[in-house]
Amino acid sequence: ISLETALKSRKINPELFVQKLTDAIEQGQYSTGTGLSAMKKESGAEIRVEGVLPCPIRLPLLEKLESWLKENSDIAAKTDYDLKAASMGLDGTKERVLAADGDAEKLSDLYLSAGFDLFFDHKLMGRYRDAGVFEDISGLEHLNTDFENEHINLRDPKGQYTIIGAVACVFMVNTKVLGDRRFPSSWEDLLSPEFENSISLPVRDLDMFNALTLHIRRFFGKEGVEKLGRNLLSGMHPAQMVKAGKQQQGPAVSITPYFFTQMIDDKSPLVPVWPKEGAIISPIFLLTKAASKDKVKPFVDFLFSKEVGELMSVNGKFPSTNPIVNNHLAPDQSFMWLGWDYIHENDIGALILETERDFYAAAGKEIV
């Protein structure tokens, strides 16, 4: 029998299985590819790049990067970097940042990752940000109008952080499980008591989970976080959410990255919803050391190329901030954003921990 038939017989999503299999294979495949070796911690490379990439776009982006490096062999020869799949987490990067112990010269020259904890925690990148170590060298006067308009602006007013795109968080409603409850159309609706023990969200995806709960706290207060905690039923991976949609039991609403709503078939009872307040975003940050800007500028230009921007937006459904990229979003597909003032006025690392405690205390359950 075919692999697809075997997977379907076990009720395993073939696309997600192939994606995970590809991730596992490419970890070894690229270990010997030009410029894509794992970071050699003591290699003495002139340029060091590290971070994580969203799983759906990691392979095609690495392929483009490898082609670019082959065309720029002089850069490849003096570069070490480590760009893992987001599913592998940032533990290794955090350990290296902590080991630097305040010495900016020990940091990599460029970091790339979604999420808030690494880049804003005062124990990690926050201390270097306060010391003025980083600089936005994109050279863009304006971002894509989807992210720079009268409602939102992802440009860092302090000129330190660069955002190249975003993981948009929306939700799916299971009409089989919803019953006679009113159809939710907003984040505020999901905090209603009628959805107690009825919502699934990706608690294991820390980038998305932290972004989600921080935004709920920002716009709905501590009470909003506690309401969301009480309404938690389970902590599914988005792929599990899609699979659960075929069942008449389980969560009535699943909070998920927008990418996974594209896997819903026409017969599914799952209905994707772009919240009326806007999709909560986990920004994909690009962090560059000011002292390294001359040697890493080619990398930044590559990441802000139209080709990479379209790959993110079209293939991965991760809207790009590149102003020359068409994200193909409808007028009502707006975004919810913490705001730079809120970020600069708060210790985001401490706030993440406090918000997590409030959430799980209200949920009354530990998600293993």
Side-chain angles (χ1 to χ4, degrees):
I1 63 174
S2 69
L3 175 62
E4 182 178 12
T5 301
L7 293 172
K8 286 184 176 180
S9 71
R10 302 295 297 173
K11 297 182 179 180
I12 297 174
N13 184 295
E15 292 183 11
L16 265 294
F17 178 85
V18 170
Q19 177 190 310
K20 285 184 173 295
L21 184 61
T22 300
D23 282 345
I25 293 172
E26 65 162 311
Q27 293 296 333
Q29 172 188 347
Y30 282 105
S31 64
T32 57
T34 302
L36 293 173
S37 58
M39 183 178 289
K40 297 183 279 290
K41 310 301 184 302
E42 311 212 357
S43 66
E46 183 179 338
I47 303 172
R48 294 184 298 159
V49 179
E50 69 175 300
V52 298
L53 296 172
C55 298
I57 62 169
R58 180 174 182 263
L59 181 57
L61 183 55
L62 285 179
E63 290 174 344
K64 288 188 181 298
L65 185 54
E66 184 174 49
S67 296
W68 179 78
L69 283 168
K70 286 179 179 179
E71 296 172 1
N72 297 272
S73 57
D74 57 325
I75 296 177
K78 56 186 178 183
T79 302
D80 278 344
Y81 60 103
D82 185 2
L83 291 172
K84 292 185 171 67
S87 59
M88 299 183 69
L90 281 164
D91 290 346
T93 298
K94 290 180 179 179
E95 289 174 4
R96 287 188 287 275
V97 173
L98 288 172
D101 195 25
D103 185 354
E105 291 188 3
K106 294 181 180 179
L107 297 178
S108 291
D109 301 290
L110 187 150
Y111 291 90
L112 182 65
S113 176
F116 292 92
D117 52 343
L118 170 66
F119 292 146
F120 296 97
D121 191 322
H122 286 311
K123 296 178 182 177
L124 298 167
M125 293 300 191
R127 63 191 297 187
Y128 300 102
R129 177 196 65 180
D130 295 342
V133 170
F134 307 114
E135 180 181 351
D136 174 4
I137 63 170
S138 66
L140 297 179
E141 294 184 4
H142 295 284
L143 299 181
N144 191 297
T145 54
D146 292 326
F147 294 107
E148 187 177 347
N149 52 56
E150 60 182 350
H151 303 295
I152 185 175
N153 192 342
L154 295 192
R155 286 175 60 85
D156 180 3
K158 294 189 176 183
Q160 297 175 312
Y161 287 70
T162 313
I163 297 175
I164 68 170
V167 181
C169 186
V170 298
F171 56 85
M172 299 182 289
V173 179
N174 189 328
T175 53
K176 282 186 177 181
V177 180
L178 184 64
D180 57 1
R181 287 173 287 189
R182 63 192 175 96
F183 192 93
S185 62
S186 67
W187 295 114
E188 185 175 16
D189 290 344
L190 298 192
L191 305 181
S192 168
E194 63 184 324
F195 287 104
E196 186 169 350
N197 290 318
S198 299
I199 295 176
S200 173
L201 61 149
V203 297
R204 298 178 187 85
D205 184 343
L206 293 181
D207 292 340
M208 180 55 69
F209 176 70
N210 290 337
L212 173 67
T213 53
L214 279 175
H215 280 80
I216 294 297
R217 187 185 189 99
R218 165 71 174 85
F219 292 99
F220 301 100
K222 177 182 177 181
E223 297 79 8
V225 174
E226 292 171 341
K227 289 177 181 178
L228 183 65
R230 286 193 290 271
N231 289 356
L232 175 69
L233 173 65
S234 63
M236 292 183 175
H237 184 276
Q240 294 175 299
M241 299 177 189
V242 175
K243 178 181 175 181
K246 300 177 182 179
Q247 306 169 0
Q248 296 190 13
Q249 297 180 342
V253 181
S254 298
I255 299 174
T256 177
Y258 179 55
F259 168 80
F260 288 94
T261 67
Q262 310 304 300
M263 297 182 176
I264 303 173
D265 59 45
D266 295 336
K267 298 179 182 179
S268 173
L270 294 176
V271 177
V273 176
W274 193 287
K276 66 180 183 181
E277 305 101 328
I280 288 177
I281 60 174
S282 179
I284 302 174
F285 288 102
L286 181 66
L287 201 54
T288 309
K289 287 196 325 191
S292 307
K293 60 183 177 182
D294 291 336
K295 59 185 179 182
V296 299
K297 186 64 165 68
F299 280 95
V300 175
D301 291 342
F302 165 77
L303 292 169
F304 271 100
S305 66
K306 184 178 181 180
E307 189 177 22
V308 170
E310 289 180 342
L311 182 151
M312 292 174 58
S313 179
V314 177
N315 291 8
K317 299 299 180 184
F318 304 131
S320 169
T321 60
N322 191 325
I324 61 175
V325 171
N326 185 348
N327 288 314
H328 297 286
L329 295 174
D332 61 342
Q333 288 181 297
S334 59
F335 300 99
M336 182 181 284
W337 165 236
L338 283 182
W340 287 106
D341 288 345
Y342 186 82
I343 290 173
H344 291 141
E345 291 168 1
N346 289 276
D347 181 345
I348 297 299
L351 201 59
I352 286 175
L353 294 176
E354 182 180 343
T355 301
E356 185 179 273
R357 286 194 297 268
D358 292 339
F359 175 86
Y360 281 114
K365 56 175 73 87
E366 189 74 28
I367 305 298
V368 181

